Amino acid sequence: MSDFDESEWETVIGLEVHAELATRTKLFSSAPNEFGGEPNTNIDPVTLGLPGALPVLNEQAVELAIRVGLALHCTVQRSIFARKNYFYPDQAKNYQISQFDLPINIDGWIELPDGKRIGIERAHLEEDTGKSTHIGGGGRIHEADYSLVDYNRCGVPLLEIVGRPDLRNGDDAKAYVSELRAILVAVGASDGKMEEGSMRVDCNVSVRRRGETEFGTRCEVKNINSLRSLGRAINYEAARHVALIEAGEKVEQQTRHWDESEGRTHKLRSKEEADDYRYFPEPDLVELDPSAEWIERVRSELPSLPAQRRHDLVDRTGATPAQAGLIVERGLDALCIAAVDLGADGSRVVTHAEHNLADPRAVDLTPENLAKLTEMETGGDLSATQAKQVIAEMVETGASPVDIAKAHGFEAMDTDALATTVDEVIAANPDEWQRYCDGDGKLTGFFVGQVMKATKGQADGKAVSALLNARKS
Amino acid sequence: MTHDGATTYPTATAIAEAVAGGTLSASAVLDAHLARTAASEGTIHAFNHTDDDAARQRANEIDARVSAGEDVGPLAGVPIVIKDNICTKGVPTTCSSRMLDGWIPPYDATVVRKLAAAGAVTVGKANMDEFAMGSSTENSAFGPTLNPRDTTRVPGGSSGGSAASVAAGFAPVALGSDTGGSIRQPAAFCGLVGVKPTYGLVSRLGLIAFGSSLDQIGPLTHTVADAALVLDVISGHDSGDSTSLPTPAPRVSAHLDDGVAGLRVGLVRELMGDGIAPEVLASVNQAAEALVAAGAIVEEVSLPTIDYSLSAYYIIAPAEASSNLSRYDGVRYGLRVDAPTTGEMMERTRTQGFGDEVKRRIMLGTYALSAGYYDAFYGTAQRVRAVIRGDFDAVYNNVDVLLTPTTPTTAFKLAEKVSDPMAMYMNDICTIASNLVGQPSMSVPFGLDSDGLPIGVQLMAPTLGETTMFAAAAVLEAAQPLGSQLGSPRTLVANEGGL
């Protein structure tokens, strides 16, 4: 939801996602890459930028970067590292080794669950900074009484994934980040935990009147720590831009800080105040030129990716794209397909996965048990209500649906017994029956509910409806 | 103190042979050198740091191992001086800067590890121009080093302390670093052999960076054979330096007697004219004749773009330096000048911690890399660098090595050029190109000028052409006029008194 007229204004969003790569050691040294730990324990001469220390590129980080690049349909190319120079205490050398002119991955795309393709400009390697804590002065470096620096994170490998400005609303932006996260996790490149900072999102937002081809002036929003914040920050920022323009003012290119508690952004600096990073090729490293064999080996080892898995699920089970998105996100797609392969009804399997299997333990269900459950439903051995109860217990205990149903005494009612019960319920509610027969559809639920009550839920709702319908005429 | 030219000091080759052979103890060798240091270091000021006790302990350890029949390595008991920009574990390493005064590295540079493993005995850390920026060692925060050949003159720089320590007989070997001539120029000024190896041949791990794409560590010695001996110890691939060459290092010592028969030697026209002192030119020509006499073919060649090397160098080296030196901010180690805010603390620390020449180059480099100027300055300089490399490649199609002066003049007087940076920079005119192209070069003493000061001639060779270069250097050394250098290779015995 936006606070401006979306028929008149279009929001343009491009995201820069920093993902910490799940390597054993840092990008340029053998210091451990671990989250947490006592401050300044995962450090070494390279991390601290001691005189005479030299960087040596971590091959595992390169491999993970290639994996992500290929998963994002990028071209993996010869690349070089560059120094990005700026003074800040948590940057031990006062320069960051990054990639500038020639990044390792360029020109890819991500497919969102609804089929939209969002372009990826580049995905490059760089090192993370340490963490500063400013004591006093409202926590800002310039007013602080003193500052503390923890270099544990300094030098941790990052992949900066720069998306093209192809996103048009907060929901798509959230879907993009979710999808990217799913890809990073699927290829084992990152744990993708936004809350631990292992995945960080900077968001470029601009607005323009619909139909315009030029982009508006953008602002970069930092400090977005959750998907919810992402959506809120985009909507806030877009509305701010629209309000400025409608008031006859100009949007200034700025870097802004999202304040989650206030629900607004604050200006950090304008374009003019931005550092001149004085990028130049890092002379302590040689060019990175992965061989075609290396790239092809990584490609051949890539697991099936979320978009492909969604397509497969739709093809094999008849799931809708929306259902497929949810089921793949829950990691239940392989289970569903295996159950269908065992003869289960695709639509029932998908319905269970969508509505009854939110519990993370559901991934441990066996396809055999899931297929058996749907078979019992189809054969009329279980009502929908019973099936729901059985599947919950299957997730809980891992027991087979047959055993669970038996333990509860769930058995299919024979049709005669059900018909008798229906007749009894009709007889007991003559007024309602009359209104039902006069066409009051709302009473269907009433009668089904009465029959369910009488049969303690053993009746199949559909069979009851059919009997009621038959009696009416 | 003007050297009389008659004194000779023992060579590393002779010492190592005698110590390994048990005819001389490492301790006796050390004591002789320490005695000379005690006598004249007060005048020369070659060192920022010495630790005689640690050196004695190390020498005793070598002697014990020799007694136990161990092979202690090719530099058995050889006293060695390390330039103070090369990290030594537990030993202060300052780059002759207030910024790092008192900083003690927690690790040894790869070269220091290799020297120790070869049996060398470190005697001290040599004075230098601050962060290796300079050509006279006058830019040291701890005062200048004097030239042992004439103490009214500079020893050259930036490895001036290294050169002076060898010339004064404090050690037969010193390590220097060479970014634009910082080994070869002081070697020439002090009458020594000084080698700038192929870029990547010697590990830079533990060398405190000045211009990372130009810096190389190399030896300063009395003789060509000593330089070869040391180079063979310190060269070789190091996985800790990404720019270290993966190819096996040439074994230079094995080729000293290869001779120059049929060798094609190029005299670089552009470095044989304006701005080069006549006496220096005469030495180069004399050296060329010596090579011809030994069977080489000498011809004039042209490196038409070499004149641009100084300009390219004074963009690239300061650009890299401006970034390399940004880590000195008072936050983690070294000097900190307190101030109310972190930003002011950094500013005051850098204002007080760096000397004028370092600040000048940081500003030059920062400017050259800044937005809007990058392409005009740094970009152009890198393109010029590529063109110069092309010139060298073309020349090496026709000749095997190049012969040039090492420096335009012999050692100049203290304070003569300190207030004229451009005149100081011009000193590097002959040496800078081989750093830009990453190829090997060395200075060999060849004659004296009318003031009795040593003249150095420079040999340059293509990438990894060290063996050819050293073979030519050995021929020049054998043919050199009397008095050009102080050391002479000879066999030492304990009672000879030759220490």
Side-chain angles (χ1 to χ4, degrees), chain B residues 210-224:
Chain B
F210 161 19
S212 310
S213 73
L214 305 157
D215 298 340
Q216 267 293 285
I217 293 171
L220 292 110
T221 59
H222 292 299
T223 66
V224 173

Side-chain angles (χ1 to χ4, degrees), chain B residues 61-438:
Chain B
E61 184 191 308
I62 300 286
D63 287 333
R65 288 173 55 199
V66 171
S67 302
E70 278 182 52
D71 177 2
V72 295
L75 294 175
V78 174
I80 204 155
V81 172
I82 309 289
K83 188 177 181 180
D84 210 17
N85 60 350
I86 298 174
C87 289
T88 40
K89 185 177 181 174
V91 177
T93 300
T94 68
C95 289
S96 287
S97 179
R98 279 185 294 275
M99 189 62 91
L100 284 175
D101 197 2
W103 181 65
I104 298 177
Y107 43 80
D108 276 328
T110 298
V111 290
V112 173
R113 281 195 295 104
K114 287 187 166 191
L115 289 172
V121 176
T122 302
V123 295
K125 301 298 293 288
N127 195 16
M128 55 188 279
D129 285 300
E130 184 178 6
F131 283 104
M133 298 177 187
S135 306
S136 69
T137 315
E138 292 168 294
N139 293 337
S140 167
F142 310 131
T145 297
L146 308 188
N147 189 328
R149 302 292 289 247
D150 176 349
T151 53
T152 67
R153 294 178 187 270
V154 302
S158 65
S159 308
S162 296
S165 67
V166 176
F170 303 164
V173 175
L175 288 191
S177 68
D178 191 318
T179 306
S182 279
I183 289 172
R184 291 160 287 160
Q185 184 252 21
F189 279 13
C190 293
L192 303 173
V193 174
V195 183
K196 199 288 290 183
T198 298
Y199 185 79
L201 184 61
V202 177
S203 170
R204 292 186 298 116
L205 182 58
L207 170 66
I208 300 180
F210 161 19
S212 310
S213 73
L214 305 157
D215 298 340
Q216 267 293 285
I217 293 171
L220 292 110
T221 59
H222 292 299
T223 66
V224 173
D226 278 6
L229 176 68
V230 176
L231 182 59
D232 283 348
V233 168
I234 62 174
S235 63
H237 180 67
D238 179 6
S239 60
D241 173 1
S242 309
T243 61
S244 168
L245 295 172
T247 42
R251 298 287 88 188
V252 179
S253 298
H255 294 273
L256 292 179
D257 299 328
D258 283 3
V260 293
L263 192 77
R264 294 165 307 169
V265 179
L267 273 177
V268 180
R269 184 186 304 144
E270 289 79 6
L271 297 177
M272 292 297 285
D274 287 351
I276 311 291
E279 287 179 302
V280 173
L281 287 178
S283 272
V284 177
N285 285 320
Q286 214 184 327
E289 286 161 24
L291 291 171
V292 169
I297 303 140
V298 175
E299 59 183 276
E300 192 179 79
V301 297
S302 175
L303 290 168
T305 54
I306 199 164
D307 282 349
Y308 299 106
S309 56
L310 201 68
S311 314
Y313 176 86
Y314 275 99
I315 298 292
I316 293 167
E320 292 180 3
S322 70
S323 175
N324 283 330
L325 271 61
S326 57
R327 67 186 62 194
Y328 307 110
D329 59 6
V331 173
R332 290 160 303 277
Y333 49 79
L335 180 71
R336 173 185 291 182
V337 181
D338 275 318
T341 69
T342 303
E344 288 170 79
M345 182 277 286
M346 288 177 164
E347 226 172 279
R348 285 191 200 175
T349 299
R350 291 170 67 80
T351 301
Q352 294 184 31
F354 290 136
D356 287 348
E357 183 61 28
V358 172
K359 285 180 194 159
R360 181 163 26 238
R361 298 205 197 187
I362 289 173
M363 286 189 282
L364 268 174
T366 302
Y367 186 77
L369 290 175
S370 54
Y373 298 100
Y374 177 91
D375 197 59
F377 289 101
Y378 189 80
T380 304
Q382 289 291 13
R383 286 189 288 275
V384 167
R385 188 178 190 174
V387 170
I388 294 171
R389 194 174 288 131
D391 267 9
F392 273 88
D393 289 346
V395 159
Y396 286 128
N397 283 331
N398 299 318
V399 297
D400 302 304
V401 294
L402 299 175
L403 177 67
T404 74
T406 306
T407 54
T409 65
T410 53
F412 47 86
K413 296 270 189 188
L414 284 155
E416 189 181 321
K417 296 186 179 180
V418 79
S419 57
D420 186 354
M422 276 313 291
M424 195 71 96
Y425 296 172
M426 287 306 289
N427 238 282
D428 303 329
I429 186 75
C430 303
T431 47
I432 269 176
S434 71
N435 298 83
L436 285 173
V437 300

Side-chain angles (χ1 to χ4, degrees), chain A residues 256-297:
Chain A
R256 299 179 67 87
H257 180 91
W258 169 249
D259 187 318
E260 179 67 27
S261 58
E262 292 182 36
R264 56 163 296 185
T265 62
H266 293 278
K267 176 181 166 179
L268 279 176
R269 56 184 173 269
S270 67
K271 192 190 176 192
E272 287 71 32
E273 295 160 312
D275 281 319
D276 175 0
Y277 292 126
R278 289 173 281 119
Y279 281 101
F280 74 104
E282 164 58 281
D284 286 332
L285 294 167
V286 293
E287 71 173 30
L288 170 60
D289 193 6
S291 68
E293 293 75 35
W294 188 6
I295 296 167
E296 287 319 306
R297 203 248 307 139

